[in-house]
Amino acid sequence: MSSLALIACGILSYGMPLGTDSIDMRTVIESYSRDMDSVERLGSVPFAGRSRKLLKEFLQAQHQAAAAIDFKALEIDGQVDWLLLDNDIRRRLRELELDEKRDAEMSAYLPFQEEILELCDQLRLLNFASGRASATTLDTIRRELAEAERAAKASEKAKLPARSIAARTLRRVEALGGHLNTWYEFYEGYDPMFTWWCKKPYGQVKEGLKAYGNAIREHWVGIKPDDKETIIGDPIGREALLADLEFEWISYSPEELVKVAEQEFAWCEAEMLKAAKELGHGRDWKAALEHVKKQHVEPGEQPGMIKDLAFEAIEFLEKNDLITIPPLARESWRMTMLSPEQQLESPFFLGGPTIFVSFPTDSMTHEQKLMSLRGNNRHFARATVHHELIPGHHLQAFMNARHRPYREAFYTPFWTEGWALYWEMVLWDKNFARSPEDRIGMLFWRMHRCARIIFSLNFHLGKMSPQECIDLLVDKVGHERENAAAEVRRSFAGGYPPLYQIAYMIGGMQIRALRRELVNSGKLSEKAFHDKILQLNAIPIEAVRMTLIRQKLSSSKRKPWRFLN
């Protein structure tokens, strides 16, 4: 057994022996997180074979060590922590298996990858490079790149890799270029003999990577090198979706979740019709939506409006005694503006300790300015500022840093985004909307979250293309087309995991189901319920439920929670 495995099976770097009678799961998890960080730093490149081998060995040893803990001797909080740790280890091991399969699909198109990774690995191991030997390796990579580029340009259509695999290969080529650049810059200018030998060969490899990437982009993916608009995703398939749902503790199939989203969408549409009728638009809710989109502030006035909306929500929460808001949390959030480039992927607000505001800038085209104005109107903003700040993401981050922060290792968007979306539901029920226009603003986002479930799951099931996803947002929800494209680009090319976009509505529905169980029954007040959720940190909602209802737990079998009625 390697030293890495011995560390995991014996005493963690800063922790206590796993398997002892007196076990503190917080200490175990904190040590696991610190050691995980160290193990990930042991590898030079995350997708290198050596890096993955080390991580897999560490996780397997951790799994064995965690199994030695006496689960029955733990209190309920410790048992929940154990289940979270076990789930995280198994999820990471499965992701390694999936990564290996996906890499196998690309290996034939990356004949130069191992040479680049070996250069990076040797630097990580502090085996410093010989200039002459490195130049020889770089020249080999140059020739392999030239051959790969010729093959890409000459490929017959029938023999091309799947578009998703081609796009994944392109991203890998770009990543390899970045890692090779880091390796080269370590020596350049500091080692004169290295620079003398390697400057020219490295420059040729750098150009070769760029040329090969452009060939893949144009001949395999089917887009021009300067095309920044086309969206190419990477569907993971039904089997992988089911596995991801299991690790998120969601006991429903993708098809069931799509059906739920369609039902929720129908409710939203019915409410839209009521609001449209109040505004004099009869059954034409899209005309009513158009009316709402025109109600935006003038350029330069958006930050002031956001400030007013943020404190309006805070005062509503405090007046109705819905949640504890620490004075420091109330005042410590900040605001900044998103650049035009950032708005290509984030056409609306983003939030947390800082709220990032989307609004037109003078460098945008006339059409872009109008779309941004319409998409960030008063009533859409009133429905989302509280999502981003208080009681949403800012308050979450504030409380996470102060309550069970060790659980941040088990972060899930179903808690983070689900909580913020849940409050949109609560505020709707409590008549936070002051007018039909406000209700339309809230309903627009609720429909948007339903559509996210429909298009993201169907995309990963292979049933919808990115363009069909954009069309859904435009035709069914009423998005501006550029904003819809940005949302889909963010979903499939923005680095988000496959289930992220469904986490808003599904996580919100989980918390709403738990509310019925504990608040509607009189077991907890609204304020106590909300405070307790924030104090448990960002864990799966089912794990929150286990704690709050004091569920009898087992280390070997988890009873599925069917939270949808």
Side-chain angles (χ1 to χ4, degrees):
M1 184 179 292
S2 74
S3 59
L4 188 61
L6 287 171
I7 288 172
C9 287
I11 300 176
L12 297 175
S13 298
Y14 300 96
M16 61 190 301
L18 298 185
T20 59
D21 293 331
S22 178
I23 199 76
D24 176 5
M25 285 305 301
R26 175 172 183 158
T27 300
V28 170
I29 291 169
E30 287 174 341
S31 298
Y32 166 77
S33 298
R34 284 192 293 261
D35 286 345
M36 177 65 69
D37 289 342
S38 295
V39 169
E40 289 177 336
R41 285 199 302 273
L42 282 173
S44 59
V45 180
F47 52 81
R50 183 179 283 110
S51 302
R52 285 187 178 155
K53 182 176 182 296
L54 288 169
L55 181 56
K56 185 175 183 179
E57 185 180 79
F58 173 75
L59 289 169
Q60 288 173 334
Q62 285 285 338
H63 203 217
Q64 293 173 7
I69 295 174
D70 185 354
F71 182 84
K72 293 181 180 178
L74 300 171
E75 298 294 332
I76 181 69
D77 285 348
Q79 289 183 340
V80 170
D81 282 337
W82 188 95
L83 291 171
L84 291 168
L85 175 61
D86 177 72
N87 186 69
D88 190 69
I89 294 170
R90 290 186 295 105
R91 177 182 61 82
R92 289 176 182 270
L93 285 168
R94 177 194 162 272
E95 286 175 351
L96 285 173
E97 291 179 5
L98 179 60
D99 287 343
E100 289 172 358
K101 291 179 181 178
R102 290 157 67 89
D103 273 8
E105 295 175 335
M106 297 187 291
S107 61
Y109 314 117
L110 298 166
F112 47 85
Q113 177 173 253
E114 290 308 313
E115 284 100 335
I116 293 177
L117 293 178
E118 184 61 20
L119 291 173
C120 297
D121 273 346
Q122 289 305 312
L123 176 57
R124 169 62 190 86
L125 296 169
L126 302 182
N127 295 326
F128 301 120
S130 156
R132 184 169 184 168
S134 297
T136 300
T137 301
L138 289 169
D139 193 58
T140 299
I141 295 170
R142 175 191 63 78
R143 285 185 275 107
E144 290 171 332
L145 278 166
E147 180 56 35
E149 181 190 355
R150 283 193 293 271
K153 291 179 176 179
S155 297
E156 297 177 18
K157 189 172 183 179
K159 296 180 180 179
L160 294 182
R163 203 179 190 203
S164 60
I165 295 175
R168 195 190 313 153
T169 303
L170 174 60
R171 290 192 294 271
R172 176 60 57 83
V173 170
E174 292 169 345
L176 286 167
H179 289 297
L180 187 64
N181 184 65
T182 299
W183 167 83
Y184 179 75
E185 288 184 343
F186 180 86
Y187 299 103
E188 184 188 25
Y190 296 96
D191 183 336
M193 290 306 295
F194 175 90
T195 307
W196 190 88
W197 278 106
C198 295
K199 185 173 184 178
K200 181 68 172 180
Y202 171 72
Q204 291 173 320
V205 168
K206 185 176 180 179
E207 288 302 313
L209 285 166
K210 182 179 179 181
Y212 183 43
N214 286 339
I216 293 173
R217 183 189 301 272
E218 185 169 353
H219 295 276
W220 291 356
V221 179
I223 57 178
K224 298 294 183 181
D226 59 348
D227 183 351
K228 297 181 180 179
E229 302 297 324
T230 301
I231 303 166
I232 306 298
D234 195 0
I236 65 172
R238 188 173 190 274
E239 182 181 354
L241 280 176
L242 286 170
D244 283 355
L245 287 166
E246 179 185 352
F247 286 116
E248 291 287 358
W249 299 12
I250 305 293
S251 301
Y252 292 87
S253 70
E255 293 80 5
E256 287 177 308
L257 295 176
V258 168
K259 185 176 180 180
V260 166
E262 290 171 343
Q263 293 169 346
E264 184 74 10
F265 192 97
W267 178 88
C268 293
E269 202 163 24
E271 292 296 321
M272 274 283 202
L273 290 173
K274 293 179 186 177
K277 187 175 180 181
E278 288 183 50
L279 290 172
H281 292 283
R283 296 185 58 80
D284 189 354
W285 67 261
K286 287 190 176 180
L289 183 64
E290 182 65 22
H291 163 75
V292 167
K293 286 182 178 182
K294 293 176 181 177
Q295 297 183 22
H296 52 75
V297 297
E298 292 301 312
E301 296 180 5
Q302 189 81 339
M305 185 188 73
I306 301 304
K307 174 187 172 182
D308 292 342
L309 292 176
F311 285 108
E312 178 190 21
I314 290 170
E315 289 164 7
F316 185 91
L317 296 168
E318 291 178 332
K319 179 181 178 181
N320 289 277
D321 201 28
L322 295 177
I323 193 169
T324 299
I325 304 173
L328 189 58
R330 193 183 198 275
E331 303 293 339
S332 61
W333 57 272
R334 293 292 178 263
M335 187 189 306
T336 191
M337 308 299 288
L338 287 168
S339 69
E341 292 74 23
Q342 290 171 318
Q343 291 184 53
L344 287 174
E345 285 192 5
S346 301
F348 309 110
F349 304 156
L350 299 173
T354 298
I355 185 168
F356 296 84
V357 179
S358 284
F359 212 60
T361 71
D362 60 0
S363 65
M364 290 182 175
T365 66
H366 183 67
E367 183 179 9
Q368 288 172 333
K369 288 176 182 176
L370 293 179
M371 285 194 178
S372 184
L373 285 172
R374 289 157 56 79
N376 291 282
N377 62 74
R378 294 175 182 271
H379 304 288
F380 283 15
R382 192 169 186 272
T384 56
V385 169
H386 58 76
H387 177 114
E388 306 298 350
L389 291 175
I390 296 175
H393 296 327
H394 168 60
L395 186 60
Q396 286 177 304
F398 184 92
M399 299 299 282
N400 283 353
R402 292 159 176 79
H403 296 275
R404 294 178 172 85
Y406 67 95
R407 282 184 170 175
E408 291 180 1
F410 310 126
Y411 161 85
T412 170
F414 287 84
W415 187 91
T416 303
E417 300 295 358
W419 167 265
L421 189 281
Y422 160 80
W423 277 100
E424 294 181 35
M425 296 174 170
V426 171
L427 293 176
W428 171 274
D429 293 340
K430 293 188 176 297
N431 299 315
F432 180 67
R434 300 169 302 185
S435 64
E437 289 92 342
D438 281 349
R439 296 207 309 276
I440 287 173
M442 297 184 82
L443 288 166
F444 171 83
W445 289 114
R446 202 149 162 179
M447 293 171 79
H448 173 66
R449 273 53 181 262
C450 296
R452 275 179 165 172
I453 297 173
I454 295 167
F455 81 67
S456 63
L457 289 180
N458 278 322
F459 170 79
H460 285 292
L461 289 169
K463 296 180 179 180
M464 290 182 72
S465 68
Q467 186 57 53
E468 288 173 323
C469 298
I470 294 171
D471 293 341
L472 174 70
L473 288 174
V474 173
D475 298 337
K476 295 287 288 182
V477 182
H479 270 287
E480 302 299 307
R481 185 159 292 276
E482 282 205 15
N483 293 345
E487 278 293 306
V488 174
R489 186 178 298 108
R490 176 173 179 256
S491 298
F492 302 142
Y496 288 90
L499 295 185
Y500 196 94
Q501 303 304 347
I502 83 165
Y504 292 75
M505 179 64 71
I506 299 304
M509 295 176 109
Q510 285 183 293
I511 300 175
R512 188 171 63 177
L514 188 54
R515 175 197 178 93
R516 288 195 297 267
E517 191 173 352
L518 294 175
V519 177
N520 294 7
S521 65
K523 294 177 182 177
L524 287 174
S525 69
E526 275 189 298
K527 189 173 187 178
F529 174 71
H530 296 142
D531 288 351
K532 284 179 181 293
I533 291 177
L534 284 182
Q535 291 165 7
L536 293 176
N537 215 290
I539 58 176
I541 307 302
E542 185 171 340
V544 172
R545 178 177 182 267
M546 290 172 175
T547 304
L548 295 185
I549 71 171
R550 315 306 287 178
Q551 182 177 334
K552 185 177 181 180
L553 301 174
S554 166
S555 63
S556 59
K557 189 175 181 180
R558 180 174 58 83
K559 183 180 179 181
W561 179 34
R562 301 285 287 183
F563 55 88
L564 295 171
N565 293 333

